[in-house]
Amino acid sequence: MQSKVLFNKDDHQWVVIGRDPEKDDHVIDTNEYVIIHRGHAMLLDPGGIQIFPQVLAELAKYVRMQDIKVIFASHQDPDICSSLAMWLDLNPAIKTYCSWLWTGFVSHFSTGAVITLNPIPDDGMRIKIGEEGPEMEAVPAHYCHSSGNFSLYDPSAGILFSGDIGGALVPDHHASLLVTDFEQHIQYMRGFHLRWMPSTTALRGWVQRVRAIKPKTICPQHGSIFEGENVGKLLDWLESLEVGQWKGSAPKSETRAAA
Amino acid sequence: MAAMHDVLSLFKRNINQLFGITVDILNVGRSLQQLSLSMQILANNGVVQAAKIPGGKGRPMLALVEILNNTPKEIRPEVEALEHLCAGLAKVTASSSNIVWRYHQLIASLLSAMTQGEPSSKSKSLETLSHLRFTTAADVTQLTQHPAFTAVGGLERENRLYLVHHCQANLTELQERLKEALRCLGETHQALNGLKMIGLTARYMAFCISSEAAGLAEAEANFKNLAAEISRVVDDLDNKTRAMKDAIEHGQELLGLLLKGHTYAK
């Protein structure tokens, strides 16, 4: 597992953890992010249970386990938060947040102790890192892809965690954590978005909200990170997409006859 | 570290095997209820046969089959007690399974951190840990004494000790649960004694019916058949309780090994 400091200013850090060379091939590659403010941490999409040991080992280099204050889950998928019970077992004081739509579902990831999640209302909310920490903004991203979905914006760093939006299935763990050639990178994003994003309207709505925020960096949960001019290129590309277009394969003649 | 994962995976599988043992015990227990119904049918048959005997000679026979008639009433609470114990055992097994699963994740994380922290030239030093099974608190303590554990900065060392503390707590909790499972199995074993006594009583009744039948002329053959049927049902009861005893003893053997941090590879 690799980790890299993306932002570090005034005792405020963003760290990305990902690209695990020892990960089983059948497990989709994910990026886990942690925001550390004056020693207190917020973990964004902590990941699946399969990669929990590696993420924990890497995270232990940056923050005390007792100082993880918040876990934010962009949506309910297993690669996003099936490790939640393990994190809460390590530190029961962690406050967890996800869309109100999924609190009852994500609680099923419990392995003993009850998982209590703080519901994020549809319009979003501000989430503090600890009692005194800065506020992060949960930005609505519903139907991108999940029906209850949020991105998270850090105003002081200008970084937007976009969840699955901007995600890519990069070929291997050697792929760069940062997008260096946007046009080249599209091939890894296209299929991902066409199939996993169900609504063009919702995706374009999200792009409009994000343009208003003007982030300097966009960090997806899969693939590589967009910085500088690549942020604008990503938003333009997303706006041009027609997603959720699967119409089914043509029925076979026997099926038609049977019908 | 592959050996550690193999041992812990087998350790987890062994704990989950307790579910299978619980189901075996429960299935045999439930089949006993069916068997008690067979006994009742035989008892009813005996009542009918005894009523046909003229001149009050069937009275001793009626008394005997009446005792048999009580068998289902006696077996039912025994089976219910078994079900209760098995439900407890399944609950303890589920809890143990969760604990060992969490524990495996934490140990894997510690070893992953130690492997990452080791420069490649020193990676062989981690091989000195390969004999550890990590199924006992002593093994986890030994891990903390390895140079690769301590040769890191203050933050990482503190986090590693935090994880070790959680691992030890999980192992302590697991030991408690396994002891509870062993206690459940012991109580199940005790419950078997009640079933054995019911079988012995029924077998004795069969013997008495057979003896009484000797003086009953033409009814003798019917009662001898009835006694033979009762003996067959009691044989079945014995076989089932023996199967249950075997399952319990297997569970006790398994738990004995797990409590010592050993695994069962058969």
Side-chain angles (χ1 to χ4, degrees), chain A residues 173-251:
Chain A
H173 63 270
H174 294 298
S176 168
L177 270 168
L178 299 175
V179 174
T180 49
D181 182 338
F182 185 83
E183 277 66 35
Q184 180 70 18
H185 190 66
I186 286 175
Q187 61 181 313
Y188 307 127
M189 294 194 291
R190 182 181 294 281
F192 186 91
H193 286 78
L194 291 184
R195 186 61 204 264
W196 269 289
M197 296 294 154
S199 165
T200 300
T201 309
L203 188 58
R204 289 180 184 168
W206 181 86
V207 169
Q208 280 183 2
R209 278 192 290 282
V210 172
R211 283 196 197 282
I213 290 170
K214 297 189 178 67
K216 294 176 194 152
T217 305
I218 291 182
C219 297
Q221 201 243 345
H222 303 281
S224 304
I225 295 161
F226 304 85
E227 285 185 324
E229 63 174 6
N230 285 332
V231 170
K233 285 183 180 177
L234 172 69
L235 295 177
D236 291 346
W237 180 76
L238 288 170
E239 209 160 34
S240 72
L241 280 182
E242 291 278 347
V243 297
Q245 296 297 308
W246 194 77
K247 294 187 175 82
S249 51

Side-chain angles (χ1 to χ4, degrees), chain A residues 10-21:
Chain A
D10 300 331
D11 213 1
H12 187 81
Q13 273 189 327
W14 269 71
V15 178
V16 58
I17 300 170
R19 302 288 194 273
D20 181 8

Side-chain angles (χ1 to χ4, degrees), chain B residues 10 13-14 17 250 253-254 257 263-266:
Chain B
L10 182 57
R13 275 206 305 280
N14 284 163
Q17 277 172 12
H250 175 48
E253 183 192 4
L254 186 61
L257 288 169
T263 47
Y264 182 85
K266 280 182 208 168

Side-chain angles (χ1 to χ4, degrees), chain A:
Chain A
M1 203 62 122
Q2 295 175 35
S3 59
K4 181 181 165 70
V5 177
L6 293 174
F7 178 89
N8 192 0
K9 194 179 172 190
D10 300 331
D11 213 1
H12 187 81
Q13 273 189 327
W14 269 71
V15 178
V16 58
I17 300 170
R19 302 288 194 273
D20 181 8
E22 288 168 20
K23 175 185 68 60
D24 286 342
D25 287 343
H26 64 275
V27 175
I28 191 169
D29 200 21
T30 55
N31 302 322
E32 285 68 44
Y33 298 91
V34 59
I35 310 169
I36 307 165
H37 183 83
R38 294 184 184 159
H40 290 174
M42 179 179 197
L43 197 50
L44 313 180
D45 285 2
I49 192 62
Q50 280 264 349
I51 58 159
F52 168 80
Q54 290 72 33
V55 174
L56 174 59
E58 204 58 34
L59 188 69
K61 295 175 183 170
Y62 297 94
V63 65
R64 289 169 78 230
M65 295 298 111
Q66 301 94 310
D67 290 333
I68 303 172
K69 300 293 178 189
V70 183
I71 287 180
F72 166 84
S74 61
H75 59 289
Q76 82 290 3
D77 280 349
D79 64 317
I80 302 295
C81 57
S82 65
S83 63
L84 201 52
M86 287 301 305
W87 293 103
L88 292 175
D89 184 53
L90 267 184
N91 180 359
I94 295 174
K95 281 187 174 177
T96 53
Y97 291 85
C98 80
S99 163
W100 69 271
L101 208 59
W102 300 122
T103 51
F105 293 72
V106 171
S107 298
H108 278 273
F109 286 133
S110 165
T111 59
V114 175
I115 295 178
T116 309
L117 291 123
N118 294 287
I120 307 176
D122 278 344
D123 290 339
M125 67 184 289
R126 289 168 188 267
I127 302 168
K128 266 191 175 184
I129 303 178
E131 295 300 318
E132 306 294 328
E135 283 184 334
M136 305 292 129
E137 293 171 14
V139 179
H142 309 308
Y143 295 100
C144 298
H145 69 98
S146 167
S147 47
N149 207 120
F150 286 95
S151 302
L152 191 97
Y153 182 58
D154 176 357
S156 56
I159 300 176
L160 178 80
F161 169 63
S162 59
D164 279 335
I165 309 166
L169 301 174
V170 291
D172 62 34
H173 63 270
H174 294 298
S176 168
L177 270 168
L178 299 175
V179 174
T180 49
D181 182 338
F182 185 83
E183 277 66 35
Q184 180 70 18
H185 190 66
I186 286 175
Q187 61 181 313
Y188 307 127
M189 294 194 291
R190 182 181 294 281
F192 186 91
H193 286 78
L194 291 184
R195 186 61 204 264
W196 269 289
M197 296 294 154
S199 165
T200 300
T201 309
L203 188 58
R204 289 180 184 168
W206 181 86
V207 169
Q208 280 183 2
R209 278 192 290 282
V210 172
R211 283 196 197 282
I213 290 170
K214 297 189 178 67
K216 294 176 194 152
T217 305
I218 291 182
C219 297
Q221 201 243 345
H222 303 281
S224 304
I225 295 161
F226 304 85
E227 285 185 324
E229 63 174 6
N230 285 332
V231 170
K233 285 183 180 177
L234 172 69
L235 295 177
D236 291 346
W237 180 76
L238 288 170
E239 209 160 34
S240 72
L241 280 182
E242 291 278 347
V243 297
Q245 296 297 308
W246 194 77
K247 294 187 175 82
S249 51
K252 289 178 183 166
S253 53
E254 314 87 82
T255 317
R256 275 200 303 269

Side-chain angles (χ1 to χ4, degrees), chain A residues 53 58 60 63-65 90 111, chain B residues 98 101 109 116 158-159 162:
Chain A
E58 204 58 34
V63 65
R64 289 169 78 230
M65 295 298 111
L90 267 184
T111 59
Chain B
N98 276 336
W101 181 80
S109 179
Q116 279 179 33
E158 187 184 347
N159 278 331
Y162 187 76

